[in-house]
Amino acid sequence: QLVSEKVGGAEGTKLDDDFKEMEKKVDVTSKAVTEVLARTIEYLQPNPASRAKLTMLNTVSKIRGQVKSPGYPQPEGLLGECMIRHGKELGGESNFGDALLDAGESMKRLAEVKDSLDIEVKQNFIDPLQSLCEKDLKEIQHHLKKLEGRRLDFDYKKKRQGRIPDEELRQALDKFEESKEVAETSMHNLLETDIEQVSQLSALVDAQLDYHRQAVQILDELADKLKRRMREASSRPKREYKPKPRESFDLGEPEQSNGGFPCATAPKITASSSFRSSDKPIRTPSRTMPPLDQPSCKALYDFEPENDGELGFREGDVITLTNQIDENWYEGMLDGQSGFFPLSYVEVLVPLPQ
């Protein structure tokens, strides 16, 4: 029956317009939920390695009010640790060092607030939408597929009416009508309860508002500290630089024309040493290059990984491409190591197949 419809142009049983409109709305809802999920995870964590950990984050143990680290570093936390480290190196006598310590502590507080945002959004927005995709929408697709199979069976037997028992045709029609009702009910229930998705979207916005309120408070406090430091520094008298008196030294004998310092004996130039500059430098062996008949790229700059899952390399390395994460990140292999790296650091030699 399917072949006769696809190839021969045979007419099948048509579903009513209300059913088709409902099916269209469910399809649009499915696409919207899928893309919003992906973009939300990317918004929370632009780093692909951290995104992978975010999607696997188990929120069952994350009880509201008992926020824990999601298991990956936040950029604000890394910046804070850097500032604190250098602030301690500069010491307490340095205005800049003290300011770095203040800023570093504030950045670490921002990282904790960002951890809370990630967990809150994962628990109250991402997880419910993933459940919608994996249960309700998947169940609707199952009912629609079953309906299409029974529709084909009914149309096939209807064409053979008179050559098959009427009871067999009636049973095929009953099964088709039954599947249509089940599919229609499941789609109706989904579309009528879409206020649940509005509630989940509201939870996303609430989490963002809470994050930004706390971030503003932390940054306001930091700004006040830095302004106070600037006022205190400007009110203190400036220390004038007084150069130390120069030490006198003996000019030595008159024949020494270099200010009293003994002359170093000029090295003797031999025939063997005079040609050393023309010797070829010893070349270090390069890394194994993959064959250029597979997707690959060449490193334009050194890349030092800062997060788990990133792939480090040196300028000139040729990396085998295995996947493109998004428009900014690739996944590849080098010397048996696999990981992510930014597209801007490499030149593609053989692109990935489309």
Side-chain angles (χ1 to χ4, degrees):
Q1 178 64 24
L2 180 63
V3 172
S4 64
E5 290 181 10
K6 295 291 185 183
V7 179
E11 287 287 334
T13 300
K14 300 294 183 182
L15 297 167
D16 58 82
D17 292 340
D18 289 341
F19 186 93
K20 289 181 179 180
E21 182 65 22
M22 196 179 297
E23 188 177 5
K24 182 179 178 182
K25 288 181 179 179
V26 168
D27 184 56
V28 172
T29 300
S30 178
K31 290 178 180 177
V33 169
T34 302
E35 186 165 0
V36 167
L37 267 175
R39 295 298 180 185
T40 302
I41 293 172
E42 187 175 344
Y43 156 75
L44 291 177
Q45 280 299 333
N47 183 288
S50 299
R51 281 208 301 273
K53 290 183 179 180
L54 178 62
T55 56
M56 295 184 292
L57 180 63
N58 181 13
T59 58
V60 174
S61 61
K62 308 297 180 183
I63 304 173
R64 186 185 297 273
Q66 297 179 355
V67 179
K68 299 179 181 178
S69 170
Y72 48 81
Q74 301 287 0
E76 296 87 346
L78 296 174
L79 176 59
E81 291 173 1
C82 169
M83 288 178 167
I84 290 173
R85 184 173 67 253
H86 291 294
K88 289 179 179 178
E89 289 175 355
L90 287 169
E93 295 182 358
S94 166
N95 291 321
F96 183 40
D98 288 339
L100 280 176
L101 290 173
D102 289 339
E105 291 296 337
S106 295
M107 290 298 117
K108 291 182 71 175
R109 289 174 62 194
L110 282 176
E112 293 175 0
V113 175
K114 186 65 164 53
D115 283 344
S116 177
L117 171 69
D118 286 3
I119 293 171
E120 193 77 16
V121 173
K122 180 73 167 60
Q123 182 176 5
N124 297 321
F125 184 70
I126 293 176
D127 284 353
L129 288 186
Q130 283 180 334
S131 176
L132 181 69
C133 283
E134 294 167 3
K135 294 180 180 178
D136 297 354
L137 290 170
K138 192 173 182 180
E139 182 180 336
I140 289 173
Q141 290 304 317
H142 168 73
H143 291 319
L144 291 173
K145 188 175 181 180
K146 189 174 182 180
L147 171 63
E148 179 64 7
R150 289 186 169 180
R151 199 257 323 155
L152 289 170
D153 180 61
F154 169 66
D155 285 344
Y156 172 73
K157 291 177 178 176
K158 186 168 64 172
K159 281 178 22 177
R160 301 183 65 198
Q161 189 174 8
R163 289 177 287 172
I164 62 172
D166 291 343
E167 179 63 22
E168 190 174 340
L169 179 60
R170 189 185 62 79
Q171 288 178 355
L173 176 61
D174 289 344
K175 288 182 178 180
F176 168 67
E177 293 289 349
E178 177 189 350
S179 287
K180 180 175 179 293
E181 184 178 344
V182 171
E184 214 164 20
T185 302
S186 62
M187 290 191 294
H188 173 80
N189 291 339
L190 174 74
L191 297 174
E192 286 299 310
T193 57
D194 64 348
I195 192 64
E196 293 180 10
Q197 283 75 65
V198 179
S199 172
Q200 292 148 12
L201 191 59
S202 176
L204 168 66
V205 174
D206 287 343
Q208 289 175 301
L209 275 173
D210 187 47
Y211 164 74
H212 286 293
R213 285 194 193 102
Q214 293 185 64
V216 167
Q217 181 181 352
I218 292 169
L219 292 175
D220 276 342
E221 292 173 2
L222 175 61
D224 290 341
K225 283 183 181 179
L226 296 179
K227 288 175 183 176
R228 186 166 60 251
R229 286 192 179 279
M230 287 190 289
R231 287 194 301 269
E232 291 173 356
S234 62
S235 64
R236 287 196 296 264
K238 293 184 179 179
R239 294 180 297 175
E240 294 185 3
Y241 171 70
K242 294 181 179 180
K244 294 181 180 179
R246 297 183 180 181
E247 296 181 1
S248 61
F249 56 91
D250 187 9
L251 293 177
E253 298 298 325
E255 61 268 17
Q256 293 181 346
S257 58
N258 66 340
F261 295 100
C263 297
T265 305
K268 293 182 180 181
I269 300 176
T270 63
S272 60
S273 63
S274 62
F275 293 100
R276 184 159 305 196
S277 60
S278 64
D279 292 344
K280 293 183 178 179
I282 299 173
R283 298 182 64 183
T284 55
S286 59
R287 303 196 191 195
T288 305
M289 289 182 60
L292 294 182
D293 60 346
Q294 58 182 329
S296 57
C297 63
K298 184 177 181 180
L300 298 175
Y301 320 99
D302 293 354
F303 177 64
E304 295 293 342
E306 295 182 356
N307 300 296
D308 293 340
E310 293 180 346
L311 177 68
F313 48 76
R314 301 294 178 206
E315 179 183 353
D317 286 348
V318 177
I319 306 156
T320 302
L321 297 175
T322 56
N323 187 23
Q324 182 166 1
I325 305 302
D326 54 29
E327 63 271 15
N328 297 317
W329 288 81
Y330 273 130
E331 182 180 11
M333 292 188 66
L334 176 65
D335 293 343
Q337 298 290 327
S338 177
F340 308 103
F341 55 90
L343 173 61
S344 57
Y345 277 67
V346 299
E347 174 190 6
V348 176
L349 302 176
V350 180
L352 286 161
Q354 296 297 325

